Amino acid sequence: MSLLNQQTGPFYRVRACAKINLTLDVFSKRADGYHSLASVMQTLCLHDEILLRIHAGPGITLECEVPEGSAVPADSSNLVYRAAESALEAALAAGQTSWQRQGQGVRILLRKRIPTQAGLGGGSSDAAATLLAVNRLLGLHLPAERLRAQAASLGSDVPFFLTGGTAVARGRGESIRPLPDLPRLWLVVVKPEENVSTAWAYAALDSVPERASHRATHRMEEALQAGDQERMIAFQSNDFELPVFARFPRLAWLHDELTMAGARTVHLCGSGSALYGIAPDEAAARAIAGRMEGRFPFVTAVCTTTRAEADPFASHFPAC
Ligand code: C5P
């Protein structure tokens, strides 16, 4: 019987949206080993679902439902577990101890839909949604600044998901500036068999000789502020494409397949291995996905979300 079938205490069901990077400029490696970057990030309707319940017993219990053929650890190595733990630690540090005195813990069920090692930010998004949900579930009242610090300590992409929608990330990814919502875009996301490790991708970028610093993010921000859809499509770029396509030629081939199937522009998601292709409209996105289905482990037609829709607790969410 699922842990969540035990009907005690308040219960939350939250969404954790995937993301793409409309631009991803990676600059130099810093003294702390991370790279400075600039990226326009965008949430998608593709999402995981997280169910949380207060438990009359201490500690955190995590259960995962994953699609056939994929594996996600349901232990303390999972970012969901670590996010819940980090919210509880922050609460204790702030003197919020009533849940502990009452011997309460948290039970969590993670329903995974976002493919892992795809560059879609699934683990980071789960972590951000869990931070917000545990904060609300146990009435911890952690201030936004504290949540942002906890998010950054969990991973470079986690702070973006506290904001969602369209936003610029700088620093190592933790410095977030929200941008106005884009008009809805339809796209196709394809994850091939290959997996790309983020740490490997950054190291591979460092070994590219005479790497130029791109200004795609800056140009993209200008296009977005001006509401210029054509330039917004044209300015998409991702610095990881050069080393990742060189190491995984099948991804370069998939790029061309998506273009030939009708995508207007195709780019790598984060450091890969998934690719996204922007479609002219919803019908075209579904037609392109139909042409790719059965040939790759994960193919889906999705749309971008607004900031309000990307809120884990949002009551209105696009059907896609
Ligand atoms: O922060 P996160 O744990 O997601 O990063 C995973 C790895 O990606 C880091 O260990 C580092 O090797 C690399 N990374 C980086 N610069 C960034 C973000 C990540 O070098 N800005």
Side-chain angles (χ1 to χ4, degrees):
M1 183 173 77
S2 168
L3 296 173
L4 288 162
N5 289 345
Q6 299 162 18
Q7 301 295 318
T8 51
F11 172 79
Y12 278 129
R13 183 192 297 260
V14 295
R15 282 186 216 91
C17 292
K19 59 85 181 160
I20 52 171
N21 302 76
L22 296 176
T23 62
L24 183 42
D25 303 324
V26 182
F27 307 116
S28 52
K29 191 169 175 174
R30 315 187 318 188
D32 63 4
Y34 285 92
H35 292 72
S36 304
L37 58 80
S39 178
V40 175
M41 300 174 77
Q42 171 66 54
T43 41
L44 304 178
C45 66
L46 171 64
H47 64 276
D48 291 339
E49 201 175 63
I50 308 174
L51 294 83
L52 306 99
R53 184 186 287 293
I54 290 183
H55 173 59
I60 299 155
T61 318
L62 174 64
E63 212 183 302
C64 295
E65 279 178 18
V66 295
E68 221 182 284
S70 61
V72 172
D75 56 27
S76 58
S77 67
N78 192 305
L79 269 183
V80 164
Y81 189 101
R82 285 171 46 206
E85 200 172 45
S86 125
L88 296 181
E89 280 167 12
L92 286 181
Q96 298 267 338
T97 56
S98 63
W99 56 274
Q100 196 188 40
R101 280 187 273 109
Q102 291 167 37
Q104 290 177 332
V106 184
R107 296 203 150 180
I108 307 174
L109 172 62
L110 169 61
R111 290 197 172 128
K112 202 76 201 151
R113 295 194 196 116
I114 306 171
T116 56
Q117 289 209 288
L120 291 162
S124 303
S125 185
D126 294 343
T130 303
L131 269 181
L132 294 172
V134 171
N135 186 38
R136 204 180 277 198
L137 190 68
L138 292 173
L140 302 178
H141 305 292
L142 294 171
E145 206 172 301
R146 183 78 212 183
L147 287 171
R148 279 197 292 273
Q150 298 300 117
S153 75
L154 289 164
S156 305
D157 277 350
V158 182
F160 162 71
F161 290 103
L162 294 179
T163 297
T166 313
V168 190
R170 294 188 191 276
R172 70 171 173 95
E174 85 289 8
S175 166
I176 304 297
R177 192 163 61 81
L179 292 173
D181 289 327
L182 292 187
R184 200 171 309 281
L185 286 175
W186 278 88
L187 44 138
V188 180
V189 173
V190 181
K191 160 81 173 57
E193 279 85 1
E194 287 80 356
N195 290 317
V196 178
S197 138
T198 305
W200 171 84
Y202 275 101
L205 251 189
D206 286 336
S207 62
V208 175
E210 293 176 32
R211 197 158 54 84
S213 287
H214 294 128
R215 289 180 50 78
T217 300
H218 186 73
R219 292 195 304 169
M220 177 64 79
E221 278 181 84
E222 284 176 352
L224 292 176
Q225 298 290 359
D228 187 335
Q229 183 96 354
E230 287 310 307
R231 278 164 67 218
M232 191 277 272
I233 303 271
F235 289 165
Q236 289 176 36
S237 85
N238 182 332
D239 278 1
F240 283 114
E241 285 169 6
L242 193 67
V244 170
F245 288 172
R247 168 69 182 78
F248 300 97
R250 209 163 152 270
L251 269 63
W253 171 79
L254 170 57
H255 176 282
D256 296 345
E257 287 287 296
L258 269 165
T259 308
M260 285 189 290
R264 293 181 67 187
T265 183
V266 180
H267 287 283
L268 195 63
C269 300
S271 57
S273 63
L275 279 93
Y276 72 89
I278 302 278
D281 53 33
E282 177 179 357
R286 297 201 186 282
I288 297 167
R291 282 177 210 123
M292 311 301 281
E293 259 155 26
R295 298 165 60 199
F296 300 94
F298 181 86
V299 178
T300 187
V302 289
C303 63
T304 55
T305 71
T306 63
R307 177 157 306 111
E309 290 163 347
D311 182 326
F313 299 94
S315 50
H316 296 288
F317 198 73
C320 62

